[in-house]
Amino acid sequence: MDSLSWGMIFLKMGARFLPVWIALIVTFAVSINFKQRLGLYGKLFDSPVGMTGFAIVMFWVFTAIFADLIITYDPIAQLGSVKNPLPGTPVPDLKDGQYAWFLLGGDHLARDIFSRMVMGARRVLVIAPAATTFAYIVGITLGLPAGYYGGKFDTGLSFISNLVLAFPVILLFYLLVTPEIRNTGIPIYLAAVLFIFPVVFFSILFNARFFTNPRQRNIYVGTTLVIGLWAYSGLAFNADPLGVWGMDPNLLNVFVSVVFVNAPTVFRIVRGITLDLKARDYVAAGQTRGEGAWYIMLWEILPNARGPLIVDYCLRIGYTTILLGTLGFFGLGVTPESPDWGSTINAGRKLLSTIPHPAVVPALALMSLVLGLNLLADGLREESLKD
């Protein structure tokens, strides 16, 4: 069987991504048709930069969702004894029903680079947004009262956040995921503290919103506590009796490290915005009406801070993606055989000068996702300034 030309490689890759193209077309068609009703998200489609970034990000999101349909082989399967096969090389000892080619080549263990790139998107887009969301919940829960109340509470939290931020981020991130730190149990203690914040945040959110309607408040808060504490027991301590919630130790270390490193920066951003917005007339009007402090913070100040927070959220996912790639490059990713992009780059870097494709392909994937997130953030910033 002959090797594929680059034109045939791109055609066959395009065919593998067919579910992604369909999902993108449907998403854009629906979004553009109803953009007048979709707030800031709808306005994004008036910005060419924002639309470009959104398209790139959603390409990888849909790739992660449909990864099982797109890949040609198991990303950790070794396909014969050939080392570093070039893009378009036929798979040796082909069996019935197997895909015939290494579309983007293989690595030194004859694992399919195309499949590892696709499945690596799922790894990145599960960990990075989820961990960034947790960091935002921690930062918002602490930043709002720090900025609103001020005083010793603000001084103490600001001092702690400055201590964390004063440490080099990459080095701190590196230390938190080393086996020696893991053996001390510090990631478990951090998880016990950080993972309780979503339960606290949503409980306070619903209590403040439905305080005048006790029956509805009790339903929302009670549901939050039941589901939240159930998830908390599984994620932080791996103690879910039903086995629905849980994290393996490597993933827990990475996840907790991302939250711990990002939360102080989010805290400072939220605190600064709150210091500015708490002097606005609508806050004074809420205080005059007798609204509670948490209602004002969560339902008056926070919605008016959404513009810069959404922009920073997109940028922070990009930073987290780079950090995850860095960890994988250092061999401190989720698992050694994981198809995450950083690990794949690290595995191929030794032969970069002679056989570049094992390292270049995941590097380009990582670069494109971060570029898309940055363009999306620029588009959101551009449109939010028009509000």
Side-chain angles (χ1 to χ4, degrees):
M1 188 180 296
D2 295 333
S3 298
L4 296 175
S5 66
W6 276 107
M8 288 302 298
I9 289 173
F10 285 121
L11 283 175
K12 288 185 177 295
M13 282 199 302
R16 300 300 302 182
F17 281 110
L18 181 61
V20 176
W21 306 133
I22 294 173
L24 280 173
I25 291 170
V26 171
T27 300
F28 268 76
V30 173
S31 300
I32 292 174
N33 190 44
F34 295 99
K35 67 178 183 179
Q36 301 298 332
R37 309 177 189 178
L38 297 176
L40 181 59
Y41 170 73
K43 293 179 181 178
L44 184 66
F45 293 89
D46 294 326
S47 167
V49 171
M51 280 181 40
T52 303
F54 180 74
I56 296 173
V57 171
M58 292 310 298
F59 170 84
W60 287 114
V61 169
F62 289 131
T63 296
I65 293 172
F66 298 116
D68 293 322
L69 299 175
I70 298 170
I71 60 174
T72 54
Y73 285 97
D74 184 334
I76 62 174
Q78 298 182 23
L79 308 175
S81 59
V82 61
K83 290 187 176 181
N84 299 301
L86 296 174
T89 300
V91 175
D93 303 323
L94 192 66
K95 299 178 182 178
D96 291 340
Q98 285 188 329
Y99 200 78
W101 295 279
F102 290 100
L103 287 178
L104 291 175
D107 63 9
H108 64 293
L109 296 176
R111 296 175 297 190
D112 184 54
I113 293 295
F114 173 77
S115 299
R116 290 180 67 79
M117 176 196 70
V118 171
M119 198 58 73
R122 177 174 289 181
R123 284 289 189 180
V124 170
L125 288 168
V126 166
I127 299 174
T132 304
T133 300
F134 267 74
Y136 255 77
I137 291 175
V138 175
I140 288 171
T141 305
L142 297 177
L144 284 173
Y148 188 80
Y149 290 116
K152 294 182 179 179
F153 180 74
D154 178 27
T155 302
L157 288 179
S158 297
F159 178 75
I160 294 172
S161 70
N162 289 335
L163 282 180
V164 177
L165 293 173
F167 209 81
V169 173
I170 296 295
L171 182 57
L172 178 61
F173 206 77
Y174 183 87
L175 289 175
L176 286 173
V177 297
T178 54
E180 292 77 14
I181 294 295
R182 185 193 317 162
N183 294 335
T184 66
I186 289 177
I188 301 295
Y189 302 139
L190 286 175
V193 174
L194 297 174
F195 286 5
I196 197 64
F197 274 90
V199 182
V200 174
F201 174 79
F202 285 105
S203 296
I204 295 174
L205 181 76
F206 292 130
N207 181 68
R209 179 65 178 85
F210 301 107
F211 185 77
T212 57
N213 188 341
R215 181 179 178 182
Q216 197 169 5
R217 177 195 63 187
N218 293 341
I219 292 174
Y220 281 106
V221 174
T223 302
T224 298
L225 289 175
V226 169
I227 297 177
L229 293 176
W230 175 29
Y232 174 73
S233 66
L235 295 176
F237 304 107
N238 200 25
D240 177 13
L242 301 179
V244 176
W245 306 94
M247 283 190 192
D248 64 71
N250 286 330
L251 178 57
L252 179 66
N253 290 352
V254 172
F255 200 93
V256 167
S257 301
V258 172
V259 177
F260 182 75
V261 168
N262 283 320
T265 306
V266 178
F267 163 81
R268 289 178 62 87
I269 293 172
V270 174
R271 173 186 173 273
I273 294 173
T274 304
L275 285 171
D276 175 43
L277 296 183
K278 74 175 184 179
R280 302 295 175 90
D281 290 341
Y282 57 82
V283 173
Q287 293 169 340
T288 303
R289 291 194 301 267
E291 294 172 352
W294 276 106
Y295 182 92
I296 293 174
M297 284 186 274
L298 291 170
W299 295 98
E300 298 285 356
I301 293 176
L302 187 59
N304 285 283
R306 68 186 185 278
L309 291 181
I310 291 172
V311 171
D312 182 77
Y313 179 80
C314 293
L315 291 172
R316 201 157 298 281
I317 293 177
Y319 301 152
T320 302
T321 301
I322 295 173
L323 285 172
L324 292 174
T326 303
L327 279 183
F329 184 81
F330 287 135
L332 297 170
V334 180
T335 54
E337 71 278 2
S338 170
D340 69 273
W341 294 334
S343 299
T344 308
I345 294 169
N346 182 44
R349 68 184 173 86
K350 295 179 181 179
L351 299 174
L352 191 59
S353 60
T354 55
I355 308 174
H357 64 272
V360 170
V361 169
L364 291 175
L366 177 63
M367 181 191 72
S368 66
L369 177 57
V370 175
L371 174 63
L373 288 164
N374 288 342
L375 292 176
L376 177 59
D378 286 342
L380 288 170
R381 181 188 296 113
E382 176 186 329
E383 295 304 318
S384 65
L385 292 174
K386 297 177 182 179
D387 287 347

